[in-house]
Amino acid sequence: MFLTRFRLNTARPGARRLLSSPQVMHAAVMSSFPVAPPTAGDGPRVLWRVDHNSTAEVLLYIVSPDRPDLTHLVEQAGWPTAPGGWETRPYGPFLARLETDSVWAFRLTANPVHSIRRKEGEPTKRTAHLTPRHQMEWLLKRQKDSGFRILEKPLDQRRLPEGDQYQLIVHGRRDLSFGKTEQSNGRKNRVTLATATFDGRLQVTDPDALRRTLTSGLGKAKAYGCGLMTLAPVG
């Protein structure tokens, strides 16, 4: 497995085009591999996420079974004349060091959804969670099976009557709508999805399960920049 970071030059039209559509970004990311990587199943797959840290700092992260070649992205949306267009590191050594009870800061952009039935007898329909409280609950329900526990705040640091129990914040909530062309028949469809970014601190409860989460993704819409969780040392 490999972890890659690429900084987009948002002043360039190519970067703005990539950022305007998750479908276009997905195609650009998948073009980074000579052999098409797996895009389905429960095993390791290509995951990607865009972090809008500031107007001038927009970063693309990719986790992948194979090492990517981002030459085309540098030419279209980076700094072609600058040394070192992107940074790729082996991910395996980091994953192997994960231990039970270790504490990490994390970031995750996800598509928090649930299935509901509006009327008796109708099939269930996938519907997005739209409020921060429900989006937090979506993640909390998945923490045990995903191999981690989100840390709680000390009592003296809680300021709100509800929704302030955990070391977790939700931000960057976005409603996305973009076109998609079906490869099987060439039909054009419209895709809509809601995304949210989670920042917080977690404790490892099951290293193997967390490794699966980090390499296989969490939740739906993985092809569109959702599901990639990254860890960083606390502090």
Side-chain angles (χ1 to χ4, degrees):
M1 297 297 297
F2 296 89
L3 174 63
T4 299
R5 184 178 69 176
F6 169 71
R7 183 178 177 187
L8 290 117
N9 183 351
T10 55
R12 303 191 65 185
R16 294 195 293 270
R17 179 172 177 269
L18 289 170
L19 294 171
S20 68
S21 169
Q23 176 67 18
V24 174
M25 181 68 82
H26 169 71
V29 169
M30 299 306 287
S31 297
S32 304
F33 304 95
V35 178
T39 57
D42 297 327
R45 56 175 292 164
V46 174
L47 302 168
W48 62 270
R49 186 184 78 222
V50 174
D51 286 0
H52 296 262
N53 296 333
S54 68
T55 302
E57 186 180 64
V58 179
L59 301 174
L60 169 66
Y61 288 91
I62 303 172
V63 165
S64 55
D66 301 312
R67 182 184 291 270
D69 182 348
L70 303 188
T71 302
H72 63 300
L73 286 180
V74 174
E75 295 172 347
Q76 297 172 19
W79 285 267
T81 61
W86 70 91
E87 181 181 12
T88 297
R89 294 182 179 181
Y91 206 22
F94 171 79
L95 296 173
R97 293 198 302 270
L98 293 176
E99 297 180 347
T100 302
D101 294 332
S102 59
V103 175
W104 300 87
F106 75 89
R107 173 168 287 183
L108 165 72
T109 294
N111 172 224
V113 297
H114 62 137
S115 295
I116 62 172
R117 180 178 286 108
R118 299 185 183 277
K119 295 181 180 179
E120 189 67 29
E122 287 186 353
T124 58
K125 182 179 180 180
R126 188 179 298 170
T127 305
H129 288 299
L130 299 179
T131 66
R133 180 171 67 87
H134 288 114
Q135 290 167 342
M136 284 186 179
E137 291 176 355
W138 174 89
L139 181 58
L140 292 169
K141 289 179 180 178
R142 285 155 179 78
Q143 58 182 340
K144 181 178 179 180
D145 290 341
S146 300
F148 63 86
R149 178 179 69 87
I150 297 176
L151 297 180
E152 297 187 11
K153 292 182 180 179
L155 290 175
D156 60 354
Q157 294 183 12
R158 301 180 188 180
R159 299 289 183 261
L160 302 175
E162 61 176 317
D164 198 33
Q165 178 181 354
Y166 297 94
Q167 298 185 40
L168 175 67
I169 62 172
V170 182
H171 62 98
R173 299 188 300 276
R174 303 177 67 193
D175 295 322
L176 304 177
S177 179
F178 52 92
K180 176 185 177 182
T181 302
E182 300 294 339
Q183 294 183 351
S184 58
N185 54 23
R187 182 179 300 172
K188 294 184 178 180
N189 294 321
R190 200 73 186 167
V191 177
T192 59
L193 56 91
T195 68
T197 298
F198 302 86
D199 281 331
R201 291 187 177 185
L202 61 78
Q203 184 178 49
V204 181
T205 57
D206 184 337
D208 288 336
L210 182 55
R211 291 184 190 105
R212 288 193 296 271
T213 299
L214 296 176
T215 57
S216 301
L218 183 59
K220 304 293 184 181
K222 297 183 180 72
Y224 301 129
C226 297
L228 172 56
M229 173 182 281
T230 52
L231 306 182
V234 171

